[in-house]
Amino acid sequence: MTELAAVKAALKTQAVETPSWAYGNSGTRFKVFAQPGVPRDPWEKLADAAKVHEFTGVAPTVALHIPWDKVDGSDGYPELAKFAEERGVKLGAINSNTFQDDAYKLGSICHADPAVRRKALDHLLECVDIMDATGSRDLKLWFADGTNYPGQDDIRERQDRLAEGLAEVYRRLGDDQRMLLEYKFFEPAFYHTDVPDWGTAYAHCLRLGEKAQVVVDTGHHAPGTNIEFIVATLLREGKLGAFDFNSRFYADDDLMVGSADPFQLFRIMYEVIRGGGFTPEVAFMLDQCHNIEAKIPAIIRSVMNVQEATAKALLVDREALDAAQRSGDVLEANAVIMDAYNTDVRPLLREMREEMGLDPDPMAAYRRSGWAAKIVAERVGGQQAGWGA
């Protein structure tokens, strides 16, 4: 049997990185619903992120997105990092953007035009410069590159361009920096996508070297995909670098993690723990779009959902499961898994938070804090952060 004290001790080491863009106005492809009190700049995003960490205790870093979080001046990013640390958090992964400029209509680093590829690569190298200034470890890359029609471009040549571009960025990384390559099986390229699956991302990372790792976005898979198998395989190969946690019902919905299929999240977390991935070397990051829900409470809820899935995964009786598997007892093996999943871990998590000096109910603590009313009153005027559709 798993000792509850050991489970709580493991949970206290967990860290979930929150994304700066989730604090801004975001939405579907059709409409963005603005909310009062939304941050107007990276500084206010960090202030909100600090509140998530204050009430959960396990969200110590914040991912930035360039150019959405770009700051001016040679001292801009060090000052931003200092601002974050003064509020109890640190800057995390730097996310690039090679999908919004008009020049990228036919691709970025896979584009047929060398000038467009150069523009994209210069941006990626700029992101590494920002990592140097912020002390960030991870550069996270996602490319919308692909084609919509057969014959539009040469598929193999696009892979060659991708490999060449990634290699240039990889060479620029510092000794303690990593490249995290994300895959997405479609959108906006509907005939073929240049990094459509974990195998393609893995192949490129394998060729690049040990500082290149694969990102698994839990919402970027076809219906019925066994994501936990992907996780287990990448861990076995030493190539799982990070998660982008979210949920989906149809495609890349970017809903709160654990909201659509909490059992799937539990199964994924079990494979993480089983495969030795519950370490700082596998970054747990959120990548979510809070369209109709309040931003900060939604992120708090997502962090809590990750905690609950992790707690249940830690409760799996590995000895009993191993015995059932080796004896071929199918029903007993499944029962061991289901017993852990059906355990109400909320009392355990409340105890853990109290031991950490936190309120046992982060959602209630946030509501009582008055932060929501404060930012609505103070953040008047200016341009809210976010993106239009």
Side-chain angles (χ1 to χ4, degrees):
M1 295 295 291
T2 304
E3 293 290 340
L4 295 184
V7 172
K8 286 192 288 185
L11 288 167
K12 290 175 184 177
T13 70
Q14 189 168 35
V16 180
E17 183 164 295
T18 69
S20 69
W21 55 94
Y23 297 96
N25 285 323
S26 56
T28 69
R29 295 158 188 81
F30 310 106
K31 174 66 176 176
V32 174
F33 300 101
Q35 297 181 15
V38 162
R40 296 163 294 182
D41 54 42
W43 315 90
E44 291 180 346
K45 292 178 185 177
L46 291 174
D48 286 353
K51 288 298 173 182
V52 174
H53 183 49
E54 177 183 337
F55 295 116
T56 64
V58 294
T61 58
V62 189
L64 298 185
H65 199 294
I66 307 301
W68 298 345
D69 295 317
K70 193 167 185 175
V71 295
D72 296 326
S74 59
D75 294 329
Y77 291 106
E79 288 177 356
L80 194 64
K82 181 181 179 182
F83 178 87
E85 291 184 9
E86 288 171 348
R87 282 149 187 81
V89 293
K90 293 184 178 181
L91 301 183
I94 302 300
N95 291 253
S96 61
N97 184 318
T98 55
F99 54 85
Q100 283 195 306
D101 288 4
D102 287 345
Y104 301 141
K105 181 171 71 172
L106 300 181
S108 60
I109 68 170
C110 299
H111 202 288
D113 186 342
V116 176
R117 296 202 299 273
R118 187 69 259 163
K119 172 183 171 69
L121 284 169
D122 286 345
H123 168 67
L124 300 183
L125 294 172
E126 176 195 14
C127 288
V128 182
D129 291 340
I130 294 171
M131 293 168 65
D132 293 339
T134 60
S136 298
R137 177 185 66 171
D138 295 333
L139 171 67
K140 188 145 71 68
L141 306 177
W142 169 69
F143 300 105
D145 292 37
T147 61
N148 279 6
Y149 296 99
Q152 178 181 323
D153 200 358
D154 188 288
I155 292 176
R156 178 164 176 161
E157 282 190 11
R158 292 180 71 91
Q159 286 296 307
D160 291 340
R161 298 168 199 154
L162 174 63
E164 181 181 350
L166 291 176
E168 181 175 342
V169 178
Y170 186 88
R171 289 192 294 270
R172 170 63 182 81
L173 295 174
D175 293 339
D176 297 323
Q177 294 173 336
R178 306 190 303 175
M179 172 190 293
L180 303 177
L181 182 59
E182 185 178 351
Y183 59 90
K184 190 173 184 179
F185 80 106
F186 81 104
E187 190 195 39
F190 293 102
Y191 172 60
H192 102 276
T193 301
D194 290 307
V195 189
D197 51 41
W198 70 272
T200 305
Y202 170 75
H204 281 284
C205 289
L206 188 64
R207 174 172 290 189
L208 288 166
E210 63 181 13
K211 292 189 290 186
Q213 300 279 301
V214 179
V215 178
V216 174
D217 186 308
T218 55
H220 287 187
H221 298 86
T225 300
N226 190 317
I227 300 175
E228 54 267 36
F229 171 80
I230 298 171
V231 170
T233 302
L234 288 173
L235 280 170
R236 183 173 179 269
E237 297 298 321
K239 278 297 180 183
L240 179 63
F243 284 97
D244 269 357
F245 282 127
N246 56 71
S247 288
R248 67 152 185 81
F249 284 103
Y250 298 104
D252 177 23
D253 304 342
D254 280 348
L255 299 172
M256 292 187 299
V257 59
S259 59
D261 189 351
F263 185 45
Q264 180 189 68
L265 181 59
F266 158 78
R267 299 193 310 265
I268 291 169
M269 289 308 308
Y270 172 72
E271 291 301 336
V272 170
I273 293 163
R274 163 67 180 85
F278 194 56
T279 73
E281 296 306 306
V282 178
F284 292 174
M285 302 182 287
L286 304 181
D287 181 13
Q288 300 176 175
C289 167
H290 302 297
N291 184 26
I292 59 174
E293 62 270 42
K295 314 296 181 182
I296 300 173
I299 297 172
I300 292 174
R301 176 59 66 191
S302 289
V303 172
M304 293 173 66
N305 288 349
V306 172
Q307 286 183 298
E308 288 188 19
T310 306
K312 291 181 178 186
L314 287 165
L315 285 173
V316 171
D317 189 333
R318 292 281 297 279
E319 291 184 5
L321 181 61
D322 183 65
Q325 290 172 340
R326 292 187 181 281
S327 67
D329 192 336
V330 176
L331 292 178
E332 179 59 23
N334 181 248
V336 172
I337 291 291
M338 296 309 300
D339 283 347
Y341 176 69
N342 289 321
T343 302
D344 185 358
V345 297
R346 290 173 298 176
L348 180 147
L349 287 167
R350 286 194 289 267
E351 288 181 12
M352 181 203 75
R353 293 184 186 112
E354 288 179 330
E355 291 173 6
M356 295 173 66
L358 302 170
D359 190 290
D361 186 344
M363 293 290 284
Y366 174 73
R367 286 194 295 268
R368 291 194 306 269
S369 72
W371 183 256
K374 174 182 170 64
I375 59 179
V376 168
E378 293 181 353
R379 295 174 184 173
V380 178
Q383 181 66 41
Q384 289 185 326
W387 53 268

